[in-house]
Amino acid sequence: MMGGTVNRGELESFIAENFGVDADYPWARYPTHAVFRHGDNRKWFALIMDVPRNRLGLQGAEPLAVLNVKCDPFLIGSLREEPGCFPAYHMSKDTWITVALDGSVADGMIAMLLDMSYQLTASKTRGSRTK
């Protein structure tokens, strides 16, 4: 991840190095859609896919590489105001956000969002209380 359009291979390598997981390609119909999930609970924390631009409210139907990540619901509203951030495509819009991988979102922001998503989807530690 070096600025400009995010290279998919570099992003996958970044995720592997920082979170210890490799991409999973679960759909034969969408061979480039990469899912990243926790090894223990199998929960997704990231999804890289190509989405027609008009499905995100943009002009044109050309595919745009995007990253879906789980996000703190309190941040979603303000993030959607940022260039390159959209309501989640094909996921819960209350807890997920879609980020364009066209250089409109800084690498540091992508890394922060990946880390947040990883933490939000991690297994809860034993002894912790849930409400």
Side-chain angles (χ1 to χ4, degrees):
M1 297 183 4
M2 311 272 297
T5 301
V6 177
N7 177 288
R8 191 178 286 224
E10 288 176 7
L11 181 56
E12 288 186 17
S13 294
F14 175 84
I15 293 170
E17 291 167 17
N18 288 276
F19 302 103
V21 298
D22 291 320
D24 179 19
Y25 299 91
W27 302 287
R29 184 174 174 189
Y30 302 105
T32 62
H33 291 195
V35 172
F36 298 87
R37 60 179 102 213
H38 291 270
D40 59 350
N41 65 15
R42 306 299 292 154
K43 286 186 178 179
W44 297 11
F45 67 92
L47 168 63
I48 300 172
M49 62 184 159
D50 295 315
V51 175
R53 295 175 64 82
N54 55 12
R55 296 282 178 97
L56 299 171
L58 301 172
Q59 292 293 320
E62 309 80 42
L64 176 65
V66 299
L67 171 70
N68 275 5
V69 287
K70 190 156 190 171
C71 186
D72 184 326
F74 293 108
L75 296 177
I76 287 178
S78 58
L79 283 172
R80 286 185 194 155
E81 301 296 318
E82 297 293 321
C85 293
F86 303 92
Y89 178 75
H90 224 330
M91 303 288 272
S92 168
K93 290 168 182 31
D94 294 330
T95 55
W96 288 76
I97 193 159
T98 293
V99 179
L101 298 177
D102 62 357
S104 59
V105 178
D107 288 354
M109 175 66 80
I110 292 171
M112 184 275 297
L113 290 170
L114 279 165
D115 187 59
M116 182 188 313
S117 185
Y118 187 83
Q119 298 302 323
L120 288 170
T121 54
S123 293
K124 305 296 182 233
T125 57
R126 284 190 176 180
S128 68
R129 292 183 168 174
T130 57
K131 292 183 178 182

